[in-house]
Amino acid sequence: MSRAPASLRLLALALVVAWGRGDYLADSILCDDIEAICIYDDLPYVTNDTVCGDKHQFLNPARCNCGSMCIKYLEEGEECFMKSLISFPHNLCGPSLECIPVDGEKGHCMRNPARKCLNETLSYEAAQEEGTLGPGEYKPNCDEFGRYAGRQCSPGSTCYCVNTEGERLFGEAPITEKDTMDCACASYWEETESRGLNMGLRCLPNGNFDTLQCADKMCYCFDPQTGSISFGPFPDYMMEDLVCYDEAIHGSIYKRPCELALDEWESQESSEVVTIQESARPVCTHDGYYAAVQYEEGYAYCSDFHGRQIEDFKQEIYLSDGLSCNCARRRYIMEENGLGSNKPKCCPNGEYKPLQTRGLLAYCVDTNGNQYGPAVVTTDITSLPCYSEEPCPTVMEY
């Protein structure tokens, strides 16, 4: 059965409204006649970005999200209500704030210290106010829900990607690039791999999406904001004609050093001629470069992006479970970007020494090189909980 034009349906609806609202029947429960439904319910159908003025715009929770609902964000310390007699609130605690009860049904908009990222932020601000901040402390970066934002940083060195629980992900860059890091690609790969998948979009070394993507001999420009193709696709031999192509980033071929080495290694393995592999399988990251930990001749060694060993950092393979080389990689990135004056001190296997010093101060650090606990003058170094005569595992020579 053919449907009547929208104008006739609206006219019929107007007549129904005039005769009695109770006789109106929507086309379906799927809101496919949303304009008519909104008009019938005396709710605005038109939405725009300025309708709420200085308030914040949300979809109206009424039937079919007719129009907009304008809600004021309360600031930290402002009074809020835990319960309301009305269906929908007129105001809400702003980003990173929760309505925490103080007396009876009333509360105040506060940062909840039960959330780890906010707890660390509050501790940082308290130390800052007291003038007791240590040289290895950096204010955590929390999202609007009080969880860890994708990008975290350490003072004067590098920024790196984490998940919402603060656990380290792929992606790191000098701190000078922090304003351009969103770690969206690092988060994308955490979700992708959690589903058991191992193929997807390529990243940049800092954990962002590469805006140039190639697959099946076709290349295109990718818009991370919309998750769609913004230009192309072109055949891969026309990659340089894409508007997102950057010679400094992409070079003359799409594949990067580790991807090329992996192709070569796998071609030897699949050859009809039986050969003995003289080198271990390259370990690549989501940017096509070498992972921080590589393997060779009974050792796991700390690698730069091109597969070269960083200084003398290595560990016997049988002791290398959980090896990250976080400290070695940070030293390398800092050196390459002119930030080498305060490079961290690493154990022989490339992990952070639990105790770090800077100037006349000493302090303990976690596996990401971030300070925890107080900083003390170096003469009181033995008072620190991480102090040890032998803080690093021994690397045995064969």
Side-chain angles (χ1 to χ4, degrees):
M1 181 183 295
S2 61
R3 292 176 50 146
S7 58
L8 293 179
R9 286 189 285 120
L10 288 175
L11 177 59
L13 174 60
L15 292 174
V16 169
V17 171
W19 294 333
R21 296 171 63 89
D23 296 329
Y24 170 69
L25 295 175
D27 282 356
S28 77
I29 63 172
L30 301 178
C31 294
D32 56 357
D33 201 16
I34 181 173
E35 184 173 0
I37 291 171
C38 294
I39 292 173
Y40 174 77
D41 286 341
D42 292 328
L43 294 169
Y45 173 66
V46 178
T47 64
N48 59 66
D49 293 336
T50 61
V51 69
C52 287
D54 59 352
K55 295 183 179 180
H56 298 270
Q57 181 173 322
F58 294 85
L59 289 175
N60 194 323
R63 182 162 59 146
C64 294
N65 295 134
C66 294
S68 297
M69 186 173 186
C70 303
I71 295 179
K72 176 188 175 183
Y73 274 157
L74 299 175
E75 297 182 358
E76 187 167 15
E78 286 194 273
E79 190 177 271
C80 53
F81 289 89
M82 302 297 297
K83 298 179 181 179
S84 175
L85 296 177
I86 60 176
S87 299
F88 311 114
H90 294 301
N91 48 52
L92 292 171
C93 292
S96 296
L97 302 177
E98 297 179 34
C99 192
I100 298 178
V102 176
D103 54 347
E105 294 185 351
K106 293 184 179 180
H108 288 84
C109 293
M110 301 168 59
R111 287 174 288 180
N112 188 349
R115 299 186 182 278
K116 187 179 178 183
C117 188
L118 294 179
N119 186 285
E120 292 180 3
T121 300
L122 292 168
S123 297
Y124 177 94
E125 291 175 354
Q128 187 177 44
E129 187 173 341
E130 295 167 2
T132 59
L133 276 180
E137 292 185 89
Y138 198 90
K139 188 175 183 178
N141 183 19
C142 307
D143 67 13
E144 61 179 316
F145 304 107
R147 307 168 303 186
Y148 288 95
R151 186 259 301 150
Q152 302 295 320
C153 299
S154 294
S157 55
T158 66
C159 296
Y160 53 92
C161 298
V162 301
N163 62 18
T164 55
E165 300 300 317
E167 298 164 340
R168 190 79 174 254
L169 300 178
F170 157 80
E172 188 173 12
I175 197 169
T176 51
E177 297 180 15
K178 71 181 182 70
D179 293 336
T180 60
M181 282 182 70
D182 58 30
C183 293
C185 193
S187 298
Y188 155 83
W189 269 105
E190 182 189 39
E191 181 179 355
T192 298
E193 291 176 330
S194 72
R195 298 176 179 176
L197 305 175
N198 60 6
M199 296 184 65
L201 299 171
R202 194 169 76 176
C203 306
L204 295 174
N206 64 0
N208 293 0
F209 280 106
D210 190 340
T211 54
L212 173 62
Q213 300 285 334
C214 294
D216 298 327
K217 296 186 177 182
M218 298 296 290
C219 297
Y220 58 90
C221 293
F222 173 74
D223 184 349
Q225 300 300 319
T226 62
S228 61
I229 295 175
S230 60
F231 192 75
F234 290 180
D236 56 3
Y237 60 83
M238 297 177 63
M239 177 181 74
E240 297 181 12
D241 294 327
L242 290 167
V243 295
C244 54
Y245 171 78
D246 185 335
E247 183 178 5
I249 297 174
H250 303 117
S252 59
I253 57 175
Y254 181 71
K255 287 196 172 182
R256 290 175 176 162
C258 191
E259 292 172 320
L260 294 171
L262 184 59
D263 285 347
E264 182 179 355
W265 192 93
E266 291 179 341
S267 69
Q268 294 176 12
E269 187 179 56
S270 61
S271 172
E272 294 181 2
V273 180
V274 177
T275 61
I276 299 175
Q277 295 286 0
E278 296 182 356
S279 60
R281 187 178 191 272
V283 183
C284 306
T285 43
H286 304 306
D287 55 358
Y289 289 102
Y290 286 83
V293 181
Q294 300 293 323
Y295 303 91
E296 187 175 51
E297 297 179 355
Y299 280 95
Y301 69 91
C302 297
S303 167
D304 66 14
F305 297 114
H306 297 275
R308 301 168 299 207
Q309 183 172 340
I310 300 173
E311 300 178 46
D312 295 321
F313 299 121
K314 60 183 180 181
Q315 177 79 67
E316 301 91 331
I317 284 181
Y318 74 92
L319 295 173
S320 65
D321 284 349
L323 190 66
S324 70
C325 289
N326 283 343
C327 184
R329 260 291 171 94
R330 176 168 286 177
R331 284 178 65 90
Y332 168 74
I333 293 173
M334 291 177 69
E335 185 68 32
E336 290 293 300
N337 291 274
L339 301 171
S341 60
N342 289 310
K343 289 187 294 186
K345 299 171 180 62
C346 308
C347 289
N349 64 357
E351 302 299 294
Y352 287 96
K353 284 188 175 181
L355 191 152
Q356 299 282 320
T357 59
R358 185 174 297 183
L360 298 176
L361 296 176
Y363 52 94
C364 299
V365 298
D366 60 20
T367 56
N368 289 320
N370 296 323
Q371 179 183 334
Y372 68 88
V376 301
V377 293
T378 51
T379 53
D380 294 332
I381 201 169
T382 56
S383 67
L384 291 172
C386 60
Y387 175 80
S388 173
E389 291 289 342
E390 295 182 2
C392 298
T394 302
V395 178
M396 299 177 62
E397 297 290 344
Y398 289 160

